Amino acid sequence: MADEQILARITAMVDEERGLRDAVSSGRIDSETEHERLAEIESALDQCWDLLRQRRAKSEFGENPDDARVRPASQVEGYQG
């Protein structure tokens, strides 16, 4: 997955987060549904940001960015940048 694709996926997930918050504030969904989906999105966002950082680091040091791999959510959640 190219950097542009990762960034597009991040943007789509951020847009979905906003949509969920709007949906709960307007009563279209309940807060439990919002929280469950937000947790899924946040986990996927952590993975996307981690993959993007891996790709950029590999590129910076002359390695092939396509060798970067998505790491498990349990590994990337809670990273502090």
Side-chain angles (χ1 to χ4, degrees), residues 18-31 34:
R18 288 185 188 125
L20 285 168
R21 289 191 174 97
D22 289 343
V24 79
S25 67
S26 67
R28 289 178 289 165
I29 62 171
D30 60 49
S31 61
E34 177 207 26

Side-chain angles (χ1 to χ4, degrees), residues 59-80:
S59 184
E60 181 179 342
F61 292 99
E63 297 177 32
N64 184 351
D66 292 334
D67 289 342
R69 297 288 174 246
V70 175
R71 293 190 262 213
S74 61
Q75 184 176 356
V76 300
E77 286 182 351
Y79 277 178
Q80 305 216 351

